[in-house]
């Protein structure tokens, strides 16, 4: 039989803390971008798009290699949750429109942020995949 790897008692906790920090930083960046954009008064705009892309890049750079698919799957969900929260906090009915118009407005506001986040995460993950790192062997002819 093969050797079994044993972990020291502190290792799983350290990994959990690192994973929590890796997901908290992009989330905080996304929430901050939404807050700044909503405070500016024009709804979610360019600042939200830029912070969504930066948050996706940060998440893609910090995620463990075995879980990189999360970096592509999570941005639209996270952006949707933060955008809805920001618009509810700012008062979605401030324009005096119906609920349908609020949903249409939300969809129009968040699509550029989702597209930018997905593209940025894909570029960062492609860069990580192409970069020679640990666990890869150099090919010698």
């Amino acid at each position: 039989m093969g050797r079994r790897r044993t972990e020291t008692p502190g290792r799983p906790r350290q990994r959990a803390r690192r994973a929590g920090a890796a997901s908290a930083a992009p989330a905080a960046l996304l929430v901050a971008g939404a807050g700044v954009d909503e405070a500016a008064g024009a709804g979610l705009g360019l600042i939200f798009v830029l912070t969504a892309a930066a948050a996706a890049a940060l998440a893609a750079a910090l995620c463990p290699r075995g879980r990189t698919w999360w970096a592509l799957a999570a941005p639209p969900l996270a952006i949707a949750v933060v955008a809805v929260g920001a618009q509810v906090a700012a008062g979605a009915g401030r324009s005096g429109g119906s609920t349908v118009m609020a949903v249409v407005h939300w969809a129009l506001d968040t699509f550029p942020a989702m597209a930018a986040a997905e593209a940025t995460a894909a570029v960062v993950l492609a860069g990580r995949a192409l970069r020679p790192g640990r666990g890869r062997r150099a090919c010698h002819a």
Side-chain angles (χ1 to χ4, degrees), residues 21 45 116 140:
H140 298 287

Side-chain angles (χ1 to χ4, degrees), residues 6-62:
T6 57
E7 296 191 49
T8 59
R11 288 276 183 200
R13 287 188 202 130
Q14 288 173 349
R15 282 193 199 130
R17 273 190 230 130
R18 250 185 278 138
S23 62
L29 184 60
L30 189 60
V31 169
V36 168
D37 239 358
E38 282 292 344
L44 299 176
L46 183 61
I47 295 172
F48 185 63
V49 171
L50 294 175
T51 56
L58 186 61
L62 295 177

Side-chain angles (χ1 to χ4, degrees), residues 25-128:
L29 184 60
L30 189 60
V31 169
V36 168
D37 239 358
E38 282 292 344
L44 299 176
L46 183 61
I47 295 172
F48 185 63
V49 171
L50 294 175
T51 56
L58 186 61
L62 295 177
C63 71
R65 278 205 187 265
R67 296 190 179 116
T68 55
W69 66 275
W70 275 103
L72 284 175
L77 266 170
I79 289 167
V81 168
V82 170
V84 167
Q87 289 190 349
V88 165
R94 68 175 174 238
S95 62
S98 67
T99 305
V100 174
M101 288 309 294
V103 170
V104 169
H105 185 64
W106 169 82
L108 291 173
D109 282 349
T110 59
F111 179 75
M114 288 181 189
E118 285 294 315
T120 305
V123 167
V124 170
L125 290 175
R128 281 183 62 178

